[in-house]
């Protein structure tokens, strides 16, 4: 529900810091009221106290899982908060500036040159803003890497209880979520996606355990499923693909109720699809200007960089069977062998369940298992078509974590019939030898594949107070830590004051999030934005064409860091332009063209500053010949 509120607030330009604080305060008040009501209710209070007093004599079967989770949570909080190091390309160039802009302007939209709207709709940044608005960017990992990791594991334990699974299945799920290297290369959605996926499975299983007689009743039961699908769509591009796959599969195999099987199912599908669209609509509305520009370019038959940014044949040709099953450690940790064995196991489970669905009616647990395994396998297959292999794997790891954790719980339990009163379904464990052996084998695969990277992740958190798995040099550490120094903030303030107040400013710098978005209308740019379908700056024509295009979108001042530790060099872009990976080659070519055009524009404009690899130009004032 909070993600829905985020879409509405951003669409209405109301997602300011004080609004988020008010929303958080309201939530805490409601939570306190519910807790106080439960404590003051004598019957419920006595029952809770009786249950608490018996913990020492008869501890809950999930106690070991919760102890493990508490230890993991403590470790994350102690060694990760506050964080000292970040990915200074992805985080500083793209993700941090989005949050700064939203808190100052009330919306994640209003940037005609942004990548957001393609890579995600902005739900991750909205949720992270609750932390950064109170504690600053050094605590941004508190949301995804800490809170969502803990939430994901807690949901796995609760799912095991809902499914009436043996406590060891819940414990195995928590271990899987902790062991699998999530490849957290930046602060984008990782464990928030995993937690949403587990919550989606929980909602689907709860819905399948209820009886219904009408479409309206069924849709009301599916509200959690619809909300979590919408949240996943708003989090990230690939999580949107996963949500779509899960929704289609779940609606297809879900119990049809008492009405006509095919007609009822289609009506529920249409009603559910319309509901998800309506719930997600505010997030699409945030970026409607850019979408409108993309449609206009398409109708005008103007080719943008995006039109050639995907080459399926190139992506497939770059992945060989030898690479697919390579045990060599990847740059971000883990190996293709470890990850792809898990994907193949999920694919096999999906195929087996799909085949079983042809010859018999699946149980509720099997229907949900088919949906989550199928969504994971199909999402990974789709990612391999549109992204190069490393990127495809990294984007799908969050679903892999969730699916590997929940699938054994769903497959090794069975559900009894639901009473006519609609009470929650009771489940009985099918704890046979095959289940035990399967769990043991799966844990051995996980330990073999990810134990080394797991130990490395723990050491990285201790030594660098970050989630970054690649080697960090002293220069890297000094740079990322100096970013938050008062001197850096003062320098950005002075640079920004060179632009006339209340004018549009184009920023292509390493730390744009330090600018004051209330002083100027800041249009922040990062390299990947050249791949969006609405990027149409004229970079191959004359200088005046670029000047007019920028002035048309309200930009009069440009702050461009053309050289510096936090920026990629021209040589790096040249190397990308000759890369065998198609999308990198297109990106390199587009960025080089833009750099060349900006150099020409700087020579024809009034320069306010030109020192230390940074130039500030007023393009509304042309340089005299």
């Amino acid at each position: 529900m909070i993600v829905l509120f985020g879409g509405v607030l951003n669409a209405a330009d109301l997602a300011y810091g004080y609004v988020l604080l008010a929303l958080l305060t309201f939530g805490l008040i409601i939570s306190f009221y519910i807790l106080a009501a439960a404590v003051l209710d004598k019957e419920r209070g006595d029952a809770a106290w009786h249950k608490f007093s018996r913990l020492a004599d008869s501890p809950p079967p999930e106690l070991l899982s919760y102890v493990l989770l508490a230890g993991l949570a403590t470790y994350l909080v102690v060694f990760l908060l506050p964080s000292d190091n970040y990915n200074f390309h992805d985080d500083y160039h793209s993700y941090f500036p989005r949050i700064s802009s939203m808190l100052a302007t009330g919306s994640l939209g209003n940037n005609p040159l942004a990548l957001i709207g393609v890579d995600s709709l902005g739900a991750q940044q909205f949720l992270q803003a609750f932390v950064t608005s109170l504690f600053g960017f050094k605590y941004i990992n508190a949301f995804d890497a800490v809170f969502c990791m803990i939430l994901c594991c807690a949901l796995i334990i609760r799912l095991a209880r809902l499914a009436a699974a043996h406590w060891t299945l819940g414990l195995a799920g928590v271990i899987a979520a902790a062991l699998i290297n999530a490849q957290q290369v930046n602060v984008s959605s990782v464990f928030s996606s995993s937690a949403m996926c587990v919550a989606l499975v929980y909602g689907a299983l709860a819905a399948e355990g209820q009886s219904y007689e009408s479409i309206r009743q069924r849709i009301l039961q599916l509200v959690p499923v619809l909300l979590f699908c919408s949240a996943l769509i708003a989090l990230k591009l690939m999580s949107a693909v996963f949500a779509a796959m899960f929704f289609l599969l779940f609606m297809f195999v879900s119990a049809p109720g008492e009405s006509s099987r095919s007609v009822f199912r289609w009506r529920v599908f249409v009603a559910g699809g319309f509901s998800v669209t309506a719930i997600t609509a505010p997030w699409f509305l945030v970026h409607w200007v850019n979408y409108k520009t993309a449609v206009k370019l398409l109708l005008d038959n103007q080719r943008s960089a995006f039109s050639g940014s995907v080459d399926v044949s190139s992506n497939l040709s770059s992945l060989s069977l030898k690479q697919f099953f390579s045990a060599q450690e990847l740059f971000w940790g883990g190996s293709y062998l470890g990850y792809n064995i898990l994907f193949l196991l999920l694919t096999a489970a999906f195929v087996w369940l799909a085949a079983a669905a042809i010859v018999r009616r699946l149980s509720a647990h099997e229907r949900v298992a088919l949906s989550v395994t199928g969504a994971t396998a199909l999402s990974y297959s789709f990612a391999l078509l549109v992204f190069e292999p490393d990127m495809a794997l990294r984007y799908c790891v969050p679903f892999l974590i969730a699916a590997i954790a929940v699938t054994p719980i769903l497959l090794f339990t069975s559900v009894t019939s639901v009473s006519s009163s609609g009470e929650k379904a009771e489940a009985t464990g099918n704890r046979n030898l095959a289940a035990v052996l399967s769990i043991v084998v799966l844990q051995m695969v996980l330990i073999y594949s990810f134990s080394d990277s797991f130990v490395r992740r723990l050491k990285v958190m201790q030594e660098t107070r970050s989630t970054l798995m690649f080697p960090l040099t002293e220069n890297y550490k000094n740079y990322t830590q100096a970013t938050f120094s008062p001197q850096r903030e003062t320098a950005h303030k002075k640079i920004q004051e060179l632009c006339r107040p209340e004018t549009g400013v184009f920023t292509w710098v390493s730390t744009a999030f330090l600018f004051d978005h209330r002083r100027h209308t800041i249009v922040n740019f990062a390299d990947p934005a050249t791949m969006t379908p609405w990027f149409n700056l004229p970079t191959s024509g004359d200088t005046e064409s670029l000047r007019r295009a920028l002035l048309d979108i309200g930009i009069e001042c440009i702050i461009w860091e053309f050289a510096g530790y936090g920026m990629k060099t021209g040589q790096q872009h040249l190397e990308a332009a000759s890369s065998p990976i198609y999308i990198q080659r297109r990106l390199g070519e587009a960025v080089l063209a833009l750099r060349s055009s900006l150099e020409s524009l700087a020579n024809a404009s009034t320069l306010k500053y030109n020192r230390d690899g940074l130039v500030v130009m007023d393009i509304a004032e042309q340089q005299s010949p």
Side-chain angles (χ1 to χ4, degrees):
M1 186 64 73
I2 190 66
V3 175
L4 171 60
F5 287 156
V8 173
L9 290 174
N10 274 275
D13 293 341
L14 292 174
Y16 296 99
Y18 64 86
V19 175
L20 269 62
L21 179 60
L23 188 61
L24 179 62
T25 303
F26 177 75
L28 292 174
I29 291 174
I30 294 298
S31 300
F32 178 78
Y33 174 80
I34 294 174
L35 180 62
V39 172
L40 295 176
D41 183 280
K42 189 175 186 308
E43 183 178 346
R44 294 170 63 185
D46 290 344
W49 174 253
H50 178 70
K51 185 176 181 180
F52 177 77
S53 63
R54 295 189 58 189
L55 285 179
D57 298 328
S58 56
E62 303 93 351
L63 181 61
L64 184 57
S65 299
Y66 283 119
V67 169
L68 176 62
L69 179 56
L72 180 62
T74 301
Y75 191 92
L76 292 173
V77 170
V78 170
F79 291 109
L80 204 53
L81 300 178
S83 299
D84 288 340
N85 294 284
Y86 303 92
N87 185 323
F88 63 67
H89 283 142
D90 295 354
D91 294 338
Y92 290 177
H93 293 199
S94 297
Y95 300 125
F96 283 18
R98 294 177 185 178
I99 299 174
S100 295
S101 176
M102 186 194 76
L103 293 176
T105 66
S107 177
L108 285 162
N110 306 321
N111 185 343
L113 300 177
L115 177 63
I116 191 171
V118 173
D119 69 328
S120 76
L121 298 181
Q124 177 80 353
Q125 285 71 50
F126 172 75
L127 295 171
Q128 288 169 328
F130 283 94
V131 176
T132 61
S133 62
L134 292 174
F135 306 108
F137 282 101
K138 298 203 76 173
Y139 284 86
I140 193 171
N141 278 324
F143 173 67
D144 195 285
V146 179
F147 173 74
C148 288
M149 170 63 175
I150 297 169
L151 177 62
C152 179
C153 293
L155 286 170
I156 291 169
I157 298 171
R158 293 300 300 172
L159 177 69
R161 167 162 287 212
L162 175 67
H166 193 267
W167 65 269
T168 54
L169 287 171
L171 177 62
V174 171
I175 293 174
L179 272 181
I180 298 175
N181 181 19
Q183 296 201 0
Q184 292 169 284
V185 303
N186 49 46
V187 297
S188 64
S189 177
V190 178
F191 281 110
S192 56
S193 290
S194 297
M196 289 290 184
C197 290
V198 178
L200 176 61
V201 170
Y202 189 100
L205 187 60
E208 286 296 87
Q210 302 178 55
S211 61
Y212 50 91
E213 300 294 337
S214 64
I215 294 178
R216 179 177 177 276
Q217 187 179 12
R218 182 57 174 168
I219 291 299
L220 289 175
Q221 294 172 355
L222 291 175
V223 165
V225 173
L226 304 178
L227 287 172
F228 287 125
C229 280
S230 174
L232 282 165
I233 292 171
L235 277 176
K236 205 169 185 178
L237 174 62
M238 281 309 304
S239 66
V241 174
F242 175 89
M245 298 294 184
F246 185 96
F247 180 82
L248 291 172
L249 290 169
F250 181 69
M251 287 297 178
F252 182 77
V253 301
S254 182
E258 301 298 329
S259 304
S260 172
R261 184 180 181 89
S262 59
V263 174
F264 187 88
R265 179 178 283 131
W266 276 108
R267 288 179 178 176
V268 171
F269 171 77
V270 172
F274 177 81
S275 299
V276 171
T277 303
I279 296 170
T280 316
W283 281 108
F284 286 106
L285 188 61
V286 172
H287 312 289
W288 76 273
V289 173
N290 288 345
Y291 294 148
K292 183 176 68 173
T293 301
V295 172
K296 184 177 183 300
L297 290 174
L298 179 64
L299 295 178
D300 292 344
N301 294 319
Q302 296 184 32
R303 291 179 58 84
S304 66
F306 180 81
S307 62
S309 61
V310 175
D311 188 329
V312 174
S313 61
S314 174
N315 292 329
L316 291 179
S317 63
S318 64
L319 179 63
S320 64
L321 281 179
K322 182 179 179 180
Q323 178 185 0
F324 195 79
F325 294 107
S326 172
Q328 182 177 357
E329 186 173 17
L330 297 170
F331 184 71
W332 307 107
S335 67
Y336 273 114
L337 177 64
Y339 288 113
N340 287 327
I341 284 178
L342 298 181
F343 277 117
L344 289 175
L345 287 174
L346 293 173
T347 302
F350 170 58
V351 172
W352 174 73
L353 289 168
I358 298 175
V359 298
R360 65 177 175 86
R361 179 175 173 77
L362 299 180
S363 69
H365 287 204
E366 290 173 325
R367 293 193 293 271
V368 178
L370 183 147
S371 302
V372 69
T373 55
T376 303
L378 294 174
S379 296
Y380 186 44
S381 300
F382 174 81
L384 287 172
L385 294 177
V386 299
F387 301 112
E388 52 94 7
D390 284 357
M391 190 178 295
L393 176 61
R394 191 164 67 248
Y395 287 170
C396 292
V397 167
F399 325 133
L400 176 68
I401 292 173
I404 286 296
V406 304
T407 299
I409 296 173
L410 296 170
L411 290 183
F412 301 139
T413 54
S414 58
V415 179
T416 59
S417 60
V418 181
S419 65
S420 58
S421 62
E423 297 176 352
K424 184 174 68 173
E426 295 182 358
T428 57
N430 182 22
R431 309 176 188 100
N432 51 35
L433 180 61
V436 174
L437 290 176
S438 299
I439 294 298
V440 171
V441 170
L442 178 60
Q443 293 302 307
M444 291 177 64
V445 170
L446 291 173
I447 293 172
Y448 171 78
S449 303
F450 300 105
S451 57
D452 289 344
S453 62
F454 177 73
V455 173
R456 276 188 57 206
R457 284 158 58 200
L458 297 181
K459 289 183 178 179
V460 163
M461 291 181 192
Q462 287 187 38
E463 297 171 358
T464 68
R465 300 190 69 84
S466 75
T467 61
L468 304 178
M469 291 286 284
F470 56 86
L472 302 182
T473 64
E474 285 303 313
N475 287 338
Y476 190 108
K477 295 176 184 178
N478 293 336
Y479 174 81
T480 55
Q481 292 176 30
T483 298
F484 300 97
S485 66
Q487 294 83 357
R488 182 65 65 87
E489 292 185 11
T490 301
H492 277 68
K493 182 179 180 180
K494 291 180 178 179
I495 289 295
Q496 188 175 351
E497 288 175 348
L498 296 175
C499 297
R500 293 192 302 272
E502 299 181 359
T503 57
V505 180
F506 172 95
T507 61
W508 187 8
V509 298
S510 56
T511 50
F513 67 96
L514 295 177
F515 288 129
D516 186 355
H517 288 256
R518 293 165 295 186
R519 180 180 175 86
H520 295 94
T521 300
I522 294 180
V523 176
N524 184 59
F525 176 82
D527 298 359
T530 56
M531 296 291 100
T532 62
W534 47 80
F535 181 81
N536 64 333
L537 290 180
T539 58
S540 58
D542 61 291
T543 301
E544 291 308 308
S545 296
L546 178 58
R547 186 195 307 274
R548 286 194 301 270
L550 291 171
L551 290 173
D552 286 345
I553 58 177
I555 293 174
E556 297 184 12
C557 185
I558 294 177
I559 304 176
W560 176 31
E561 187 178 353
F562 57 88
Y565 188 84
M567 301 294 290
K568 290 186 177 180
T569 64
Q571 180 60 36
Q572 287 176 304
H573 292 306
L574 279 171
E575 293 173 358
S578 59
S579 171
I581 300 174
Y582 189 77
I583 190 171
Q584 292 185 11
R585 188 163 69 249
R586 295 288 294 117
L587 178 62
E589 293 169 352
V591 172
L592 284 172
L594 181 59
R595 285 177 62 98
S596 177
S597 297
L598 287 177
E599 288 174 3
S600 300
L601 186 59
N603 292 329
S605 302
T606 300
L607 299 186
K608 302 290 187 178
Y609 184 94
N610 185 14
R611 192 165 63 247
D612 301 325
L614 181 72
V615 63
V616 180
M617 65 182 93
D618 190 331
I619 64 173
E621 299 178 5
Q622 297 188 36
Q623 189 178 33
S624 301

